[in-house]
Structure formats: C-alpha cells, structure tokens
Amino acid sequence: MNIRVFFVGDELVAGYGDARALGWVGRTMARSPHDPPITALPLAWPGQSTENLVHRWEKEVLPRLDKDADNRLVIGLGSHDLGLTSTARSRLYLANLLDNAHRQNLPVFVVGPPPRLDVSQRDQEALNRAFAEVCDRRKIPYVDCYTPLKNHEQWLTDMATSPDSYSPRQAGYGLMTWLVLHKGWHSWLGIEPPVSD
C-alpha cells in the first residue's frame, strides 16, 4: 500500500532559509526508502502558532486523504507561541490536535522546535518539555530538536547567520534531519532504513 505523509507546521516545514530549498522535510524524504511508494505533502504556513495550527490542519489535510493509501501526519512544531501564549495553552492546543488526528485514524509523528538565539533558553525549554510530555502521554513519537542542538557548535554557527533569527540554513536543517531519521522515523513509517543509516 502506498504511503501518503502530510507535513504541517510553520516555515521550518517549508525549509525557509535553506539555499537548497530542501529543509528537514526534503532531506528526510530524500533519505527514506520509497518502497512502498511515499508521497510527501508539505503544508507549511509561515509564522504559524500552535493555536493557528490546531484550527487549520484538518481543512488542509482531510480533503487530501487517499482512501487507498496509508495516510500519516507529521507535525513540525515551531516556537512562534513564545511571547504569544502560555506554555499551558500551547500544551492544550497540541493535545487537541493529537486527539483530533487520533479520531481521524491518522498515525502522528511530531518534530519539536529547534533552538533559537533570540529568546530565553528557559522559555524554550519549558515549551519543548510541554510538547514532549503531551506526546509521551499519548505514546506518539516526539523528536526533541531543542536539547541536542541548544549548545551544538554547528547549529549555533548556522543560526548566527539566520535570515530571521528563527530559521536555520543548510547545516542546521541537516542536523534536524539527522535527529528525525534517528528518532524512530523509519519504524514509524513501517519501512526498513537504508543500509547506510
């Protein structure tokens, strides 16, 4: 059975800032075996908060479902919530999104927000922890991009030249891709990883 994977999120899902226009989504798909065939459908909305995401994802994803395919949902979380809403509200929005996806029988894989240099680490850590706890409670895979990258030299160098202090460049997206591929991506899809991985 063919696999159809929907990617929803903000400009990080679109790969903004990547001169190769791949981002972590394109790089992840390029490193994924396509037997069975996989159709990737990125549905990014730059600047989107978790509140925006919970209100729009079904309108964009549900009409594109293929009844003859194995439909799956990847949620690429950003950190636009910071300064806009409380961590408790962000947690609630994600919980609602995951529960709605479950009602639609969509297996979900969540990629957390990577570190930024322009907001406090404490706020970023709290948001990342809240997202991870919501996923853990529901036994949904969660890729923590924040913790392994917050002091990573290559990530910090990449972000120092970020076009908007939010999105990485090629090296940063490559690091996010590595985390996704090594945190359960292939097993979630039900496919064997390439021998090189």
Side-chain angles (χ1 to χ4, degrees), residues 110-174:
V110 180
V111 179
R116 295 165 57 179
L117 305 182
D118 61 335
V119 291
S120 81
Q121 283 201 355
R122 186 183 66 191
D123 291 344
Q124 293 181 79
E125 285 168 358
L127 186 65
N128 179 61
R129 187 167 52 251
F131 287 154
E133 288 169 356
V134 170
C135 293
D136 185 58
R137 195 164 292 141
R138 288 160 178 76
K139 307 294 186 226
I140 289 172
Y142 180 78
V143 179
D144 176 0
C145 291
Y146 178 77
T147 306
L149 297 180
K150 67 179 179 180
N151 295 315
H152 192 290
E153 184 177 346
Q154 191 175 21
W155 176 266
L156 296 175
T157 300
D158 211 46
M159 288 301 291
T161 60
S162 167
D164 59 0
S165 301
Y166 186 83
S167 307
R169 294 188 179 272
Q170 290 183 52
Y173 280 119

Side-chain angles (χ1 to χ4, degrees), residues 36-51:
I38 304 174
T39 301
L41 296 170
L43 301 167
W45 192 313
Q48 188 149 70
S49 68
T50 312
E51 179 182 9

Side-chain angles (χ1 to χ4, degrees), residues 11-140:
E11 57 265 49
L12 297 174
V13 166
Y16 177 73
D18 181 1
R20 296 183 64 196
L22 290 170
W24 67 264
V25 172
R27 286 176 170 80
T28 297
M29 293 311 302
R31 300 273 311 274
S32 300
H34 286 259
D35 183 19
I38 304 174
T39 301
L41 296 170
L43 301 167
W45 192 313
Q48 188 149 70
S49 68
T50 312
E51 179 182 9
N52 301 140
L53 184 58
V54 76
H55 291 303
R56 70 105 173 167
W57 80 271
E58 289 179 275
K59 294 174 192 168
E60 298 201 9
V61 170
L62 298 187
R64 293 174 168 91
L65 295 178
D66 180 351
K67 63 180 177 56
D68 297 318
D70 176 4
N71 297 285
R72 293 171 174 267
L73 178 66
V74 177
I75 301 167
L77 296 171
S79 52
H80 286 297
D81 285 15
L82 296 174
L84 292 178
T85 190
S86 67
T87 300
R89 280 229 176 257
S90 298
R91 180 196 303 265
L92 179 62
Y93 292 135
L94 178 59
N96 288 339
L97 198 164
L98 297 178
D99 292 344
N100 290 340
H102 178 73
R103 281 191 281 276
Q104 298 292 343
N105 297 312
L106 280 171
V108 180
F109 187 92
V110 180
V111 179
R116 295 165 57 179
L117 305 182
D118 61 335
V119 291
S120 81
Q121 283 201 355
R122 186 183 66 191
D123 291 344
Q124 293 181 79
E125 285 168 358
L127 186 65
N128 179 61
R129 187 167 52 251
F131 287 154
E133 288 169 356
V134 170
C135 293
D136 185 58
R137 195 164 292 141
R138 288 160 178 76
K139 307 294 186 226
I140 289 172

